[in-house]
């Protein structure tokens, strides 16, 4: 779905490279989380996935298309949708269903087809009952789900989300995460989620950690989070339950590393308790 080969990038010749020799392959149907401290290059990387930025060195393929091929920009943007941090910046209309219809309308999709697509997109994000509402009156989580519906209306194969939950409260964060997991499991949508929240990252098939423009980890979450000291040395946290098990292990309890779910923690603690 997305492939980068020795991707290198800087915003200006005087600046050191912000991305350095990045090799990533994201397959169709995968759910990948991208982590990294502030300024590590996450947003810059994400913008290469649908040709908002073009490599200075190396190559990016989006849905098999070289992003440097200007004649295919439309195909790239249709295949790979982007959702950003602030839902308010992504809403363009005063009625929810008009907002979701905005992109296909601009593309000249026939009206009947648009109606069907918009209904499907709103249903998929669980916002059908709000279709006549004013977006600015909705909660942050609801607005972000509308933004996701707006991207879905383009019928993409992949959605890249750059810290979509950063401005949301816990309920909004859960709404958005549930929506993404549903899209991935039920609609086989490829999801690339950039996040600061480790408890969100454990839901991914794979976690990629980027540090100062380089990939330092690329593995399933229980592997990535098994070395707590290493993750902390990268300036990152681990999931709450992983932290708890880490502290218990340090205190001398015989519990395994790489525990990332409450269920596994419960199992490990039951075994210790006998
Ligand atoms: N438009 C820009 N012009 C110049 N430098 C930028 C620009 N955007 C980001 N940078 C720099 O690129 C580096 C990576 O930034 P970014 O990709 O936004 O990181 P992240 O999303 O991980 O916080 C940082 O050093 C940042 O200051
Ligand atoms: Mg960023």
């Amino acid at each position: 779905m997305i492939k980068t080969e020795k991707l290198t990038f800087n915003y200006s010749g005087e600046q050191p490279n912000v991305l350095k020799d990045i090799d990533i392959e994201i397959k169709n149907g995968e759910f990948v989380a991208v982590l990294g401290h502030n300024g590590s290059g996450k947003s810059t990387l994400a913008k290469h996935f649908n040709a908002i930025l073009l490599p200075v060195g190396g190559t990016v393929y989006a849905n098999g298309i070289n992003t440097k091929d200007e004649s295919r920009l439309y195909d790239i943007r249709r295949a790979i949708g982007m959702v950003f941090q602030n839902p308010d910046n992504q809403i363009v209309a005063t009625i929810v269903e008009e907002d979701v219809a905005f992109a296909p309308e601009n593309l000249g999709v026939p009206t009947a087809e648009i109606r069907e697509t918009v209904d499907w997109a709103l249903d998929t994000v669980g916002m059908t009952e709000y279709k006549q509402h004013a977006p600015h009156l909705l909660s942050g989580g609801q607005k972000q789900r509308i933004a996701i519906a707006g991207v879905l209306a383009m019928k993409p194969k992949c959605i890249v989300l750059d810290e979509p939950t950063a401005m949301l409260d816990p309920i909004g964060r859960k709404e958005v995460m549930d929506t993404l997991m549903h899209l991935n499991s039920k609609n086989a949508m490829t999801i690339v989620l950039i996040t600061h929240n480790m408890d969100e990252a454990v839901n991914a098939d794979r976690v990629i950690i980027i540090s100062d423009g380089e990939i330092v980890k690329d593995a399933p979450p229980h592997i990535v989070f098994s070395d707590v000291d290493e993750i902390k040395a990268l300036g990152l946290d681990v999931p709450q339950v992983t932290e708890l098990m880490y502290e218990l292990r340090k205190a001398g309890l015989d519990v395994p590393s790489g525990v990332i779910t409450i269920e596994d923690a419960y199992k490990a603690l039951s075994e210790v308790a006998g």
Side-chain angles (χ1 to χ4, degrees):
M1 191 67 239
I2 294 168
K3 188 167 193 226
T4 75
E5 286 174 351
K6 297 217 163 301
L7 162 60
T8 298
F9 182 80
N10 55 51
Y11 286 93
S12 76
E14 295 100 69
Q15 190 190 35
N17 284 339
V18 170
L19 299 176
K20 303 162 191 165
D21 278 343
I22 302 257
D23 288 310
I24 296 182
E25 193 171 350
I26 294 170
K27 297 210 164 65
N28 212 347
E30 265 193 306
F31 188 149
V32 177
V34 179
L35 306 176
H37 60 74
N38 265 335
S40 58
K42 302 181 298 297
S43 296
T44 306
L45 178 64
K47 286 177 186 155
H48 280 81
F49 292 164
N50 77 345
I52 296 173
L53 293 175
L54 296 175
V56 168
T59 313
V60 176
Y61 298 96
N63 197 23
I65 307 165
N66 186 330
T67 57
K68 284 192 174 150
D69 186 349
E70 279 172 40
S71 69
R72 305 290 304 279
L73 187 60
Y74 170 84
D75 297 322
I76 293 170
R77 297 272 167 89
R78 272 213 87 163
I80 300 179
M82 281 275 244
V83 173
F84 297 95
Q85 193 174 95
N86 188 343
D88 290 319
N89 292 346
Q90 300 172 80
I91 286 167
V92 290
T94 52
I95 306 283
V96 164
E97 63 180 351
E98 285 171 13
D99 190 79
V100 176
F102 184 78
E105 259 166 13
N106 270 3
L107 293 174
V109 176
T111 310
E113 198 180 313
I114 290 180
R115 184 146 304 147
E116 214 170 284
T117 308
V118 168
D119 286 347
W120 166 78
L122 283 171
D123 181 51
T124 304
V125 302
M127 288 294 289
T128 301
E129 62 181 299
Y130 294 93
K131 70 180 187 181
Q132 304 287 348
H133 285 231
H136 70 275
L137 297 176
L138 300 175
S139 73
Q142 290 171 330
K143 281 188 219 171
Q144 202 56 300
R145 279 148 70 204
I146 296 303
I148 293 170
V151 169
L152 285 178
M154 302 284 287
K155 299 268 180 88
K157 289 187 171 173
C158 172
I159 306 187
V160 179
L161 305 102
D162 192 353
E163 304 202 31
T165 64
M167 304 183 74
L168 308 183
D169 61 16
I171 294 170
R173 281 207 291 273
K174 183 169 185 318
E175 287 172 7
V176 169
M177 280 311 295
D178 287 348
T179 302
L180 297 181
M181 278 148 66
H182 175 89
L183 278 171
N184 180 250
S185 62
K186 299 286 181 323
N187 299 70
M189 185 84 64
T190 310
I191 305 283
V192 181
L193 172 67
I194 295 170
T195 180
H196 255 97
N197 188 312
M198 304 301 143
D199 292 303
E200 292 176 3
V202 301
N203 296 305
D205 299 319
R206 228 169 102 198
V207 172
I208 294 174
I209 299 182
I210 174 165
S211 179
D212 294 330
E214 288 180 277
I215 304 289
V216 292
K217 289 270 175 195
D218 183 350
H222 68 280
I223 307 276
V224 165
F225 292 124
S226 60
D227 193 340
V228 175
D229 293 316
E230 194 183 7
I231 300 298
K232 291 189 178 218
L234 291 167
L236 298 173
D237 288 325
V238 295
Q240 280 177 20
V241 59
T242 311
E243 176 81 34
L244 171 68
M245 299 302 274
Y246 171 76
E247 292 298 335
L248 289 174
R249 216 166 44 250
K250 274 210 308 206
L253 217 59
D254 183 21
V255 290
S257 60
V259 172
I260 55 169
T261 66
I262 291 175
E263 292 74 38
D264 287 350
Y266 179 78
K267 231 173 83 194
L269 290 172
S270 307
E271 274 165 29
V272 171

